[in-house]
Coordinates of all heavy atoms in Angstrom, one line a residue:
M1 N -39.0 -2.4 10.8 CA -38.4 -3.1 9.7 C -38.0 -2.2 8.6 O -37.0 -2.4 8.0 CB -39.5 -4.1 9.2 CG -39.0 -5.0 8.1 SD -37.7 -6.1 8.7 CE -37.4 -7.1 7.2
Q2 N -38.8 -1.2 8.3 CA -38.5 -0.2 7.3 C -37.2 0.5 7.6 O -36.5 0.9 6.7 CB -39.7 0.7 7.1 CG -39.5 1.6 5.9 CD -40.7 2.5 5.6 OE1 -41.7 2.4 6.4 NE2 -40.7 3.3 4.6
M3 N -37.0 0.8 8.9 CA -35.8 1.5 9.3 C -34.5 0.7 9.0 O -33.5 1.3 8.6 CB -35.9 1.9 10.8 CG -35.0 2.9 11.2 SD -35.5 3.4 12.9 CE -34.2 4.6 13.2
V4 N -34.6 -0.6 9.2 CA -33.5 -1.5 8.9 C -33.1 -1.4 7.4 O -32.0 -1.3 7.0 CB -33.7 -2.9 9.4 CG1 -32.6 -3.8 9.0 CG2 -33.9 -2.9 10.9
I5 N -34.1 -1.5 6.6 CA -33.9 -1.5 5.1 C -33.3 -0.1 4.7 O -32.4 -0.1 3.9 CB -35.3 -1.8 4.4 CG1 -35.7 -3.2 4.7 CG2 -35.1 -1.6 2.9 CD1 -37.1 -3.5 4.2
T6 N -33.8 0.9 5.3 CA -33.3 2.3 5.0 C -31.9 2.4 5.4 O -31.0 2.9 4.6 CB -34.1 3.4 5.7 OG1 -35.5 3.2 5.3 CG2 -33.6 4.7 5.3
F7 N -31.5 1.9 6.6 CA -30.1 1.9 7.1 C -29.2 1.1 6.2 O -28.1 1.6 5.8 CB -30.1 1.4 8.5 CG -28.7 1.3 9.1 CD1 -28.0 2.4 9.5 CD2 -28.0 0.1 9.2 CE1 -26.8 2.4 10.0 CE2 -26.8 0.0 9.7 CZ -26.1 1.2 10.1
M8 N -29.7 -0.1 5.7 CA -28.9 -0.9 4.8 C -28.7 -0.2 3.5 O -27.6 -0.3 2.9 CB -29.5 -2.3 4.6 CG -29.4 -3.2 5.9 SD -30.3 -4.7 5.7 CE -29.5 -5.5 4.3
A9 N -29.7 0.4 3.0 CA -29.6 1.2 1.7 C -28.6 2.3 1.8 O -27.8 2.6 0.9 CB -30.9 1.7 1.3
V10 N -28.6 3.0 2.9 CA -27.7 4.2 3.1 C -26.3 3.7 3.2 O -25.4 4.2 2.6 CB -28.1 5.0 4.4 CG1 -27.0 6.0 4.8 CG2 -29.4 5.7 4.2
V11 N -26.0 2.6 4.0 CA -24.7 2.1 4.2 C -24.2 1.5 2.9 O -23.0 1.8 2.5 CB -24.6 1.0 5.3 CG1 -23.3 0.3 5.3 CG2 -24.9 1.7 6.7
G12 N -25.0 0.8 2.2 CA -24.6 0.3 0.9 C -24.3 1.4 -0.1 O -23.4 1.2 -0.9
G13 N -25.1 2.4 -0.1 CA -24.8 3.5 -1.0 C -23.5 4.2 -0.7 O -22.8 4.6 -1.6
M14 N -23.2 4.4 0.6 CA -21.9 5.0 0.9 C -20.8 4.1 0.5 O -19.7 4.7 0.0 CB -21.9 5.2 2.5 CG -22.9 6.3 2.9 SD -23.0 6.5 4.7 CE -21.3 7.0 5.1
I15 N -20.8 2.8 0.7 CA -19.8 1.9 0.3 C -19.6 2.0 -1.2 O -18.5 2.0 -1.7 CB -20.0 0.5 0.8 CG1 -19.9 0.5 2.4 CG2 -19.1 -0.5 0.2 CD1 -20.4 -0.8 3.0
F16 N -20.7 1.9 -1.9 CA -20.6 2.0 -3.4 C -20.0 3.3 -3.8 O -19.2 3.3 -4.7 CB -22.0 1.8 -4.0 CG -22.1 1.9 -5.4 CD1 -21.6 0.8 -6.2 CD2 -22.6 3.0 -6.1 CE1 -21.6 0.8 -7.6 CE2 -22.6 3.0 -7.5 CZ -22.1 2.0 -8.2
S17 N -20.4 4.4 -3.2 CA -19.9 5.7 -3.6 C -18.4 5.8 -3.3 O -17.6 6.3 -4.2 CB -20.6 6.8 -2.8 OG -20.0 8.0 -3.0
L18 N -17.9 5.2 -2.2 CA -16.5 5.2 -1.9 C -15.7 4.4 -2.9 O -14.6 4.7 -3.4 CB -16.3 4.7 -0.5 CG -14.8 4.5 0.0 CD1 -14.2 5.9 0.1 CD2 -14.8 3.8 1.3
A19 N -16.3 3.2 -3.3 CA -15.6 2.4 -4.3 C -15.5 3.0 -5.6 O -14.5 3.0 -6.3 CB -16.4 1.0 -4.4
V20 N -16.6 3.7 -6.1 CA -16.5 4.4 -7.3 C -15.5 5.6 -7.3 O -14.8 5.8 -8.2 CB -17.9 4.9 -7.7 CG1 -17.9 5.9 -8.9 CG2 -18.9 3.7 -8.0
A21 N -15.5 6.3 -6.2 CA -14.6 7.4 -6.0 C -13.1 6.9 -6.1 O -12.3 7.5 -6.7 CB -14.8 8.2 -4.7
L22 N -12.8 5.8 -5.4 CA -11.4 5.3 -5.4 C -11.1 4.8 -6.8 O -9.9 5.0 -7.3 CB -11.3 4.1 -4.4 CG -11.2 4.5 -3.0 CD1 -11.3 3.3 -2.1 CD2 -10.0 5.3 -2.7
L23 N -12.0 4.2 -7.5 CA -11.8 3.7 -8.9 C -11.5 4.9 -9.8 O -10.5 4.9 -10.6 CB -13.0 2.9 -9.4 CG -12.8 2.4 -10.8 CD1 -11.7 1.4 -10.9 CD2 -14.1 1.8 -11.3
A24 N -12.3 5.9 -9.7 CA -12.1 7.1 -10.5 C -10.8 7.8 -10.3 O -10.0 8.2 -11.2 CB -13.2 8.1 -10.3
E25 N -10.4 7.9 -9.0 CA -9.1 8.5 -8.6 C -8.0 7.6 -9.1 O -7.0 8.2 -9.6 CB -9.0 8.6 -7.1 CG -7.9 9.5 -6.7 CD -7.9 9.7 -5.2 OE1 -8.9 9.3 -4.5 OE2 -6.9 10.3 -4.7
E26 N -8.1 6.3 -9.1 CA -7.0 5.5 -9.6 C -6.9 5.6 -11.1 O -5.8 5.6 -11.6 CB -7.3 4.0 -9.2 CG -6.3 3.0 -9.6 CD -4.9 3.2 -9.0 OE1 -4.8 3.8 -7.9 OE2 -3.9 2.9 -9.6
L27 N -8.0 5.7 -11.8 CA -8.0 5.8 -13.2 C -7.4 7.2 -13.6 O -6.7 7.3 -14.6 CB -9.4 5.7 -13.8 CG -9.9 4.2 -13.8 CD1 -11.4 4.2 -14.2 CD2 -9.1 3.3 -14.6
I28 N -7.7 8.2 -12.9 CA -7.2 9.6 -13.2 C -5.7 9.7 -12.9 O -4.9 10.1 -13.7 CB -8.0 10.7 -12.5 CG1 -9.4 10.6 -13.1 CG2 -7.4 12.0 -12.7 CD1 -10.4 11.5 -12.3
F29 N -5.4 9.4 -11.6 CA -4.0 9.6 -11.2 C -3.1 8.4 -11.3 O -1.9 8.5 -11.7 CB -4.0 10.1 -9.7 CG -4.7 11.4 -9.5 CD1 -5.9 11.4 -8.9 CD2 -4.1 12.6 -9.9 CE1 -6.6 12.6 -8.7 CE2 -4.8 13.8 -9.8 CZ -6.0 13.8 -9.1
G30 N -3.6 7.2 -11.1 CA -2.9 6.0 -11.3 C -1.8 5.7 -10.3 O -1.0 4.8 -10.5
Q31 N -1.6 6.5 -9.3 CA -0.5 6.3 -8.3 C -1.0 6.0 -6.9 O -0.2 5.8 -6.0 CB 0.3 7.6 -8.3 CG 0.9 8.0 -9.6 CD 2.0 7.0 -10.0 OE1 2.7 6.5 -9.1 NE2 2.2 6.8 -11.3
V32 N -2.3 6.0 -6.7 CA -2.8 5.9 -5.3 C -2.4 4.6 -4.7 O -1.8 4.6 -3.6 CB -4.3 6.0 -5.3 CG1 -4.8 5.8 -3.9 CG2 -4.7 7.4 -5.8
I33 N -2.6 3.5 -5.3 CA -2.3 2.2 -4.8 C -0.8 2.0 -4.6 O -0.3 1.5 -3.6 CB -2.9 1.1 -5.6 CG1 -4.4 1.2 -5.7 CG2 -2.6 -0.3 -5.1 CD1 -5.2 1.2 -4.4
R34 N 0.0 2.4 -5.7 CA 1.4 2.2 -5.6 C 2.0 3.0 -4.5 O 3.0 2.5 -3.9 CB 2.0 2.7 -7.0 CG 1.7 1.8 -8.1 CD 2.4 2.2 -9.4 NE 1.5 1.9 -10.5 CZ 1.2 2.7 -11.5 NH1 1.7 3.9 -11.5 NH2 0.4 2.3 -12.4
V35 N 1.5 4.2 -4.2 CA 2.1 5.0 -3.1 C 2.0 4.2 -1.8 O 2.9 4.2 -1.0 CB 1.4 6.4 -3.0 CG1 1.7 7.1 -1.7 CG2 1.8 7.2 -4.2
F36 N 0.8 3.6 -1.5 CA 0.7 2.9 -0.3 C 1.6 1.7 -0.2 O 2.3 1.5 0.8 CB -0.8 2.4 -0.1 CG -1.7 3.5 0.2 CD1 -2.8 3.8 -0.6 CD2 -1.6 4.3 1.4 CE1 -3.7 4.8 -0.3 CE2 -2.5 5.3 1.7 CZ -3.5 5.5 0.8
F37 N 1.8 0.9 -1.3 CA 2.6 -0.2 -1.3 C 4.1 0.2 -1.2 O 4.9 -0.4 -0.5 CB 2.4 -1.1 -2.5 CG 1.2 -1.9 -2.4 CD1 0.2 -1.8 -3.4 CD2 1.0 -2.8 -1.4 CE1 -1.0 -2.5 -3.3 CE2 -0.2 -3.6 -1.3 CZ -1.2 -3.4 -2.3
V38 N 4.5 1.2 -1.8 CA 5.9 1.7 -1.8 C 6.2 2.2 -0.4 O 7.3 1.9 0.1 CB 6.1 2.8 -2.8 CG1 7.5 3.5 -2.6 CG2 6.1 2.2 -4.2
R39 N 5.3 2.9 0.3 CA 5.6 3.4 1.6 C 5.8 2.2 2.6 O 6.7 2.2 3.4 CB 4.5 4.3 2.1 CG 4.5 5.7 1.5 CD 3.4 6.5 2.1 NE 3.4 7.8 1.5 CZ 2.4 8.7 1.7 NH1 1.4 8.4 2.4 NH2 2.4 9.9 1.1
Q40 N 5.0 1.2 2.4 CA 5.1 0.0 3.3 C 6.4 -0.7 3.1 O 7.1 -1.1 4.1 CB 3.9 -0.9 3.1 CG 2.6 -0.4 3.7 CD 1.5 -1.3 3.4 OE1 1.6 -2.3 2.7 NE2 0.3 -1.0 3.8
T41 N 6.8 -0.9 1.9 CA 8.1 -1.6 1.6 C 9.3 -0.8 2.0 O 10.2 -1.3 2.6 CB 8.2 -1.8 0.1 OG1 7.0 -1.5 -0.6 CG2 8.5 -3.3 -0.2
V42 N 9.2 0.5 1.8 CA 10.4 1.4 2.2 C 10.5 1.3 3.7 O 11.6 1.2 4.3 CB 10.2 2.8 1.7 CG1 11.1 3.7 2.3 CG2 10.3 2.8 0.2
T43 N 9.4 1.4 4.4 CA 9.4 1.4 5.9 C 10.0 0.0 6.4 O 10.8 0.0 7.3 CB 8.0 1.5 6.5 OG1 7.4 2.7 5.9 CG2 8.0 1.7 8.0
E44 N 9.6 -1.1 5.8 CA 10.1 -2.4 6.2 C 11.6 -2.5 5.9 O 12.3 -3.0 6.8 CB 9.3 -3.5 5.5 CG 7.9 -3.6 6.0 CD 7.1 -4.6 5.2 OE1 7.7 -5.2 4.3 OE2 5.9 -4.7 5.4
K45 N 12.0 -2.0 4.8 CA 13.4 -2.1 4.4 C 14.3 -1.2 5.4 O 15.4 -1.7 5.8 CB 13.7 -1.6 3.0 CG 13.2 -2.6 2.0 CD 13.5 -2.2 0.6 CE 13.0 -3.2 -0.4 NZ 13.1 -2.7 -1.8
T46 N 13.9 0.0 5.7 CA 14.7 0.8 6.6 C 14.7 0.3 8.0 O 15.7 0.3 8.7 CB 14.1 2.3 6.6 OG1 12.7 2.2 6.8 CG2 14.4 3.0 5.3
E47 N 13.6 -0.3 8.5 CA 13.6 -0.9 9.8 C 14.5 -2.1 9.8 O 15.1 -2.4 10.8 CB 12.1 -1.3 10.2 CG 11.3 -0.1 10.5 CD 9.8 -0.5 10.8 OE1 9.6 -1.7 10.8 OE2 9.0 0.4 11.1
G48 N 14.6 -2.9 8.7 CA 15.4 -4.1 8.7 C 16.9 -3.7 8.7 O 17.7 -4.4 9.3
K49 N 17.3 -2.5 8.1 CA 18.7 -2.1 8.1 C 19.1 -1.6 9.4 O 20.3 -1.7 9.7 CB 18.9 -1.0 7.0 CG 18.7 -1.6 5.6 CD 18.9 -0.4 4.6 CE 18.7 -1.0 3.2 NZ 18.9 0.1 2.2
R50 N 18.3 -1.1 10.2 CA 18.7 -0.6 11.5 C 18.9 -1.7 12.4 O 19.7 -2.0 13.1 CB 17.5 0.3 12.2 CG 17.3 1.5 11.4 CD 16.2 2.3 12.1 NE 15.8 3.4 11.3 CZ 14.8 4.2 11.5 NH1 14.1 4.0 12.6 NH2 14.5 5.2 10.8

């Protein structure tokens, strides 16, 4: 039982750490999310033109 709680704590800590890192990167650079959306839209538009 203690191993399950430890595993959940480790996984939860990793997810929390990733979320904080992404938030900090977005606040510092501010372009991370836009780059992903722009790439998807550009890809769809070029495929539609072909």
Side-chain angles (χ1 to χ4, degrees):
M1 183 68 179
Q2 187 177 0
M3 197 169 177
V4 174
I5 295 172
T6 304
F7 177 75
M8 288 175 61
V10 168
V11 171
M14 289 174 65
I15 292 172
F16 179 75
S17 176
L18 179 65
V20 170
L22 285 174
L23 178 65
E25 191 173 355
E26 181 63 27
L27 289 174
I28 293 169
F29 297 107
Q31 297 292 327
V32 177
I33 301 299
R34 288 183 215 135
V35 167
F36 287 121
F37 283 121
V38 168
R39 283 185 184 168
Q40 288 177 357
T41 351
V42 168
T43 308
E44 290 173 5
K45 286 182 181 177
T46 48
E47 286 177 0
K49 289 180 182 177
R50 291 181 188 176

